[in-house]
Amino acid sequence: MDMTFRRAFVKNFLGQSPDWYKLTIIGFLILNPIIYFLVSPFLAGWLLVIEFIFTLGMALKCYPLQPGGLLAIEAVMIGMTSAERIKEQVFSNLEVILLLIFMVAGIYFMKQLLLYVFTKLLLNIRSKTALSLAFCLAAAFLSAFLDALTVVAVVISVSVGFYSIYHRVASNGGIRPTSMTTVASLTPNSTSRRWNSSAPSCAA
């Protein structure tokens, strides 16, 4: 059966990301003009920031520069800003933009490494005090090199990864691991087949 133009567009929109993610981005694109024109431009601006954070946090599902770019283009089209204003901001903040692009790309391609590191911290440190200190030091280290939005994206991404491990345990009849080795066997590094099935699927 020949694929229609509509089906081809839906299938290729944001690559191979999940359908619920595509629908969420489309919902954002529909909601933003409504909030901007009918409710409050101020509220629409903050909503746009939250949507950008969402795209960063969901880097596991889709490379965030694509949906983020759609949101930015829409912001210009509905009048939240102007092309001249964007040009001025690009010229004055080019270093920050490049930093954000490379940091987002780093999170996207190093997500498995980040989850592996935080999982090892969680499994190998038994003391709650030492574990809290280790996470604080890790957060301080990330904050020294990343901007605030990227740090939030890292936290959200690692949290999603932890939830995926919990979901795998719960899906096995609710059996809780009885040893640290059993828990470690659920980490992405040791279950590459399962992890690849949930790896970022939106082509860059």
Side-chain angles (χ1 to χ4, degrees):
M1 180 178 179
D2 294 335
M3 181 177 295
T4 63
F5 177 79
R6 178 181 178 182
R7 291 183 59 189
F9 176 80
V10 172
K11 183 177 181 180
N12 290 281
F13 179 68
L14 297 181
Q16 300 299 319
S17 56
D19 291 339
W20 67 264
Y21 185 87
K22 297 179 180 181
L23 293 175
T24 301
I25 298 301
I26 293 175
F28 288 160
L29 296 175
I30 296 175
L31 181 63
N32 288 337
I34 297 176
I35 299 297
Y36 180 77
F37 290 110
L38 300 181
V39 181
S40 169
F42 178 79
L43 180 61
W46 277 106
L47 180 62
L48 185 64
V49 173
I50 295 174
E51 292 168 357
F52 273 120
I53 296 176
F54 172 81
T55 59
L56 290 175
M58 292 294 105
L60 182 65
K61 301 299 181 182
C62 180
Y63 191 61
L65 295 184
Q66 299 178 28
L70 290 176
L71 294 173
I73 293 174
E74 184 190 53
V76 176
M77 294 179 63
I78 65 178
M80 295 182 69
T81 185
S82 63
E84 288 297 326
R85 181 63 176 171
I86 292 179
K87 182 179 179 180
E88 294 175 2
Q89 293 298 321
V90 169
F91 282 150
S92 60
N93 299 287
L94 182 60
E95 297 85 356
V96 178
I97 295 175
L98 292 177
L99 174 64
L100 181 60
I101 291 175
F102 285 111
M103 290 300 100
V104 168
I107 294 175
Y108 178 78
F109 293 109
M110 297 178 62
K111 184 166 297 295
Q112 296 185 23
L113 176 61
L114 289 172
L115 183 57
Y116 177 80
V117 170
F118 280 95
T119 302
K120 286 299 182 181
L121 288 176
L122 185 64
L123 297 180
N124 294 332
I125 301 178
R126 303 298 183 88
S127 172
K128 293 183 179 180
T129 303
L131 181 62
S132 300
L133 180 60
F135 271 85
C136 289
L137 292 176
F141 177 79
L142 291 174
S143 300
F145 295 95
L146 306 178
D147 61 282
L149 289 179
T150 310
V151 172
V152 172
V154 170
V155 173
I156 295 176
S157 301
V158 172
S159 300
V160 171
F162 282 160
Y163 175 77
S164 66
I165 297 175
Y166 163 78
H167 180 69
R168 290 169 190 168
V169 176
S171 62
N172 291 330
I175 301 176
R176 295 184 178 181
T178 57
S179 66
M180 304 305 287
T181 304
T182 306
V183 177
S185 66
L186 296 171
T187 58
N189 191 52
S190 60
T191 55
S192 58
R193 180 177 300 179
R194 291 183 180 179
W195 183 254
N196 289 335
S197 64
S198 62
S201 54
C202 182

